[in-house]
Amino acid sequence: MIPPVSEPYFNIVRLIERMHRHFLDVLRTELRHMDVEDINAVQALLLYNIGEDEVVIRDLKDRGYYHGSNVSYNIKKLTEFDYLTQERCAHDRRSIRLKLTDKGLRLRDGIRDLQQHLAGRVAATPDMSGDLDRAGQTLQQLERIWTDFIRYGRG
């Protein structure tokens, strides 16, 4: 028999995965609405997370947004389709700075508008704000537990 705390834990792990996939579906729908056909939802989310400032690829990985070679592939595609520019840092030639082009900024603005629209829908739902605060705190605690496991093992 599964201990009582384990079942909610397993449910939340499955829900996190489903929510991420579902959010990518939301982005795909918005991309179609915006007539953006040259990039996918993961690439659009990458642009959104880069934002207005210049960022070094390593920073995206350090923030925990992206892992592995997928980042390099997606950055290459976003550069090819003129959503991003890449420039080697003058003081560290190994580092590459990324910056959104005007086309990338327009797409980022569209995604930001979508997020504001969805946030407005959430705000209009009674009691959801407090529920989101509690859910966010719980997910942050879970993230800390997972991060500690990655860093320190079962200890």
Side-chain angles (χ1 to χ4, degrees):
M1 179 168 169
I2 297 175
V5 100
S6 294
E7 190 171 338
Y9 169 80
F10 292 127
N11 288 338
I12 198 74
V13 170
R14 284 190 295 269
L15 182 59
I16 290 167
E17 183 183 2
R18 275 197 328 265
M19 292 293 292
H20 177 66
R21 285 194 318 265
H22 203 68
F23 182 67
L24 292 176
D25 289 340
V26 168
L27 286 177
R28 270 189 277 287
T29 301
E30 186 65 10
L31 290 174
R32 278 194 303 272
H33 173 77
M34 297 171 66
D35 293 322
V36 174
E37 297 178 5
D38 50 355
I39 65 170
N40 63 39
V42 170
Q43 293 162 342
L45 186 58
L46 177 60
L47 285 176
Y48 182 74
N49 286 327
I50 290 172
E52 293 181 21
D53 300 323
E54 286 187 359
V55 66
V56 177
I57 294 173
R58 180 182 58 248
D59 292 343
L60 291 172
K61 292 179 182 179
D62 290 347
R63 290 181 206 164
Y65 289 138
Y66 304 95
H67 303 283
S69 62
N70 250 0
V71 155
S72 299
Y73 172 81
N74 286 325
I75 288 171
K76 178 182 173 199
K77 288 298 175 189
L78 290 167
T79 302
E80 284 176 17
F81 291 121
D82 195 36
Y83 289 95
L84 276 179
T85 60
Q86 298 183 45
E87 183 178 307
R88 290 213 179 270
C89 296
H91 65 281
D92 182 359
R93 302 296 295 166
R94 295 170 296 169
S95 292
I96 297 175
R97 291 186 129 350
L98 305 172
K99 186 173 183 177
L100 272 60
T101 62
D102 289 340
K103 183 178 178 182
L105 288 168
R106 282 191 303 276
L107 181 58
R108 191 272 335 257
D109 290 346
I111 295 170
R112 186 179 54 210
D113 290 346
L114 166 68
Q115 291 287 64
Q116 289 173 340
H117 169 75
L118 294 172
R121 300 269 310 264
V122 167
T125 305
D127 298 327
M128 197 160 180
S129 181
D131 291 342
L132 280 177
D133 286 339
R134 285 185 293 285
Q137 290 168 2
T138 300
L139 290 171
Q140 285 175 340
Q141 290 171 333
L142 183 57
E143 181 183 31
R144 275 193 292 275
I145 289 168
W146 287 352
T147 300
D148 287 350
F149 175 79
I150 291 166
R151 288 185 181 147
Y152 310 115
R154 289 182 178 244

